[in-house]
Amino acid sequence: MMIQVGVIGYGYWGPNIVRNFDSLDGSKVVAVCTLHEGSLNKVKKAYSDLRVTTKSDELICAPDVDVVAIVTPVVTHFELAKKALKMGKHVLVEKPFTYTAAQAEELIELAEKKNLKIGVDHTVLFTGAVRKIKQLIDDGTLGDLCYFDSMRINLGLFQHDVNVVWDLAPHDLAIIDYLIKEKPTGVVATGEAHFNGLEDIAYITIYFPNNIIAHVNVNWLSPVKVRTTLIGGQKKMLVWNDLEPDEKIKVYDKGVDVKTKDGVYNLLVSYRSGDMWVPKVDQAEALKLLAESFIECISNGKTPINDGLAGLQVVKMLEAVDKSLKRRGEIVYL
Ligand SMILES: NC(=O)c1ccc[n+]([C@@H]2O[C@H](COP(=O)([O-])OP(=O)(O)OC[C@H]3O[C@@H](n4cnc5c(N)ncnc54)[C@H](O)[C@@H]3O)[C@@H](O)[C@H]2O)c1
């Protein structure tokens, strides 16, 4: 069965969505909507057989469209997705899923009622690195998790509608939700806005049961680009540097062994420092795998790992971060 996709939004990210859904065996793109004349011409030039329109309603109502991909700014996601679901279309929505958790819940309920699939474009979950890390956690290599610590910083690109948290942190929050099976209990966030009233730097701490802690640093004002995550387990620790072309993940057989717990003064701690190894990371394009997985879930009735609930979980954390930011670091319980 060929699943036909309509894509709303053809700015920076839209072309990647169009290219990937159009190149799969199980799907093809039949229509694209964008508000800008310039990008309309770009679509026409790249894909002469696609219908193009500036009216999202026209695309959403088209009988030959099975899936609507929504690749527009976050403030527009809810209305467009709601219309598409009401018209009986499956939806793939860009990250972050919606602007509020209530909107996400409404879309999830609507999709369930109509037996339709929601996918959220948490592309990063389909990268070779995250798939490898998930495997190292699930097969017990890392042992029980202690912490997740991520730095996602660079210069720009300032967004005019959302702060740095809503722009960059959805990647880390989606990973955290995917890798840590416990649900977060509280969020503490500090940050500052230096230019347009929207925070351009933020430090986010997330508490989980079983003493697991996550920290995410996002920043648009960094002179250098850093994409580095540390994950500490009881058995092994790893460093994931996404800017490394080949050796993205290094797993360290390092850790702390506590011999006795009889009182603080008798605590016997020994440090273990063993080998380091570099697991192989698959280089396939993440967005291609995400598109493939979504089409397969629609065809076979399976639930995507990046479903509406995964999107909701990220939006809940984003809302808590904003609340804590406003209160200058007060803990917000989830
Ligand atoms: N998954 C990822 O890694 C990733 C990467 C970049 C961007 N994104 C997400 O993609 C989305 C779009 O980001 P972008 O950088 O491509 O934005 P952009 O501003 O470059 O493009 C937005 C597009 O949406 C269209 N548009 C805007 N409002 C519309 C409306 N009401 N109806 C119809 N079309 C409308 C515009 O005409 C334009 O074509 C955002 O949600 C962003 O967070 C995701």
Side-chain angles (χ1 to χ4, degrees):
M1 188 176 71
M2 181 64 82
I3 291 179
Q4 313 215 103
V5 183
V7 178
I8 306 181
Y10 200 81
Y12 164 65
W13 196 244
N16 296 323
I17 295 282
V18 173
R19 175 173 53 77
N20 277 290
F21 277 102
D22 203 51
S23 65
L24 294 184
D25 289 339
S27 68
K28 69 171 181 186
V29 178
V30 292
V32 171
C33 165
T34 168
L35 301 182
H36 307 304
E37 203 55 46
S39 48
L40 268 184
N41 291 332
K42 266 194 206 149
V43 189
K44 281 188 202 153
K45 222 170 154 190
Y47 306 89
S48 54
D49 53 339
L50 287 192
R51 290 200 307 278
V52 289
T53 176
T54 52
K55 298 187 184 70
S56 55
D57 280 351
E58 197 178 299
L59 183 146
I60 289 170
C61 298
D64 64 342
V65 168
D66 307 307
V67 175
V68 176
I70 297 165
V71 199
T72 56
V74 58
V75 283
T76 65
H77 290 178
F78 173 67
E79 288 302 334
L80 291 169
K82 190 170 160 183
K83 267 191 208 159
L85 289 168
K86 280 192 166 166
M87 285 305 297
K89 319 287 184 181
H90 305 282
V91 292
L92 180 84
V93 186
E94 261 319 314
K95 63 90 201 159
F97 183 24
T98 53
Y99 209 49
T100 68
Q103 291 176 338
E105 280 160 357
E106 194 177 328
L107 294 179
I108 291 168
E109 204 176 301
L110 184 57
E112 262 167 22
K113 225 188 270 166
K114 301 207 118 206
N115 203 17
L116 293 164
K117 297 279 176 218
I118 295 177
V120 180
D121 184 8
H122 293 159
T123 323
V124 72
L125 300 186
F126 293 82
T127 57
V130 172
R131 286 184 287 126
K132 177 61 74 177
I133 295 169
K134 172 82 171 153
Q135 183 197 322
L136 293 171
I137 292 173
D138 288 354
D139 70 13
T141 303
L142 296 189
D144 290 341
L145 290 186
C146 300
Y147 66 85
F148 174 103
D149 194 350
S150 163
M151 234 181 162
R152 190 176 292 274
I153 67 176
N154 47 258
L155 193 62
L157 308 153
F158 276 75
Q159 308 284 311
H160 45 84
D161 54 342
V162 290
N163 63 14
V164 70
V165 173
W166 284 74
D167 181 38
L168 296 182
H171 299 295
D172 303 285
L173 300 178
I175 298 169
I176 286 168
D177 179 55
Y178 185 52
L179 296 182
I180 302 177
K181 60 178 188 307
E182 287 83 354
K183 291 286 168 236
T185 53
V187 170
V188 168
T190 52
E192 201 57 87
H194 298 93
F195 297 100
N196 57 359
L198 297 169
E199 288 80 6
D200 42 56
I201 179 166
Y203 303 92
I204 304 164
T205 303
I206 309 171
Y207 293 102
F208 292 85
N210 303 328
N211 301 347
I212 302 171
I213 190 164
H215 183 260
V216 179
N217 170 206
V218 284
N219 184 353
W220 277 330
L221 281 184
S222 162
V224 290
K225 181 169 177 171
V226 180
R227 295 281 184 273
T228 300
T229 303
L230 300 175
I231 300 179
Q234 300 273 3
K235 289 192 196 154
K236 303 271 191 297
M237 304 183 187
L238 70 78
V239 180
W240 163 29
N241 179 356
D242 203 44
L243 300 184
E244 281 277 345
D246 299 318
E247 304 185 343
K248 286 188 188 295
I249 298 176
K250 293 185 173 138
V251 183
Y252 293 83
D253 181 17
K254 289 194 182 192
V256 176
D257 296 319
V258 179
K259 299 274 189 268
T260 164
K261 288 184 176 160
D262 308 338
V264 178
Y265 294 103
N266 297 326
L267 197 74
L268 270 177
V269 173
S270 68
Y271 299 99
R272 192 179 67 255
S273 188
D275 292 340
M276 182 275 286
W277 87 93
V278 180
K280 191 168 159 43
V281 168
D282 182 22
Q283 300 277 5
E285 187 181 356
L287 193 53
K288 176 170 185 257
L289 298 181
L290 180 147
E292 239 163 28
S293 145
F294 193 53
I295 294 301
E296 203 207 321
C297 287
I298 290 173
S299 307
N300 302 335
K302 287 201 240 161
T303 304
I305 58 165
N306 53 325
D307 66 350
L309 283 174
L312 167 65
Q313 205 50 41
V314 169
V315 175
K316 271 187 183 164
M317 288 191 260
L318 289 170
E319 275 189 336
V321 169
D322 269 352
K323 243 187 225 167
S324 183
L325 275 176
K326 297 235 152 47
R327 300 177 193 163
R328 297 192 85 68
E330 216 176 90
I331 187 161
V332 173
Y333 292 101
L334 291 163

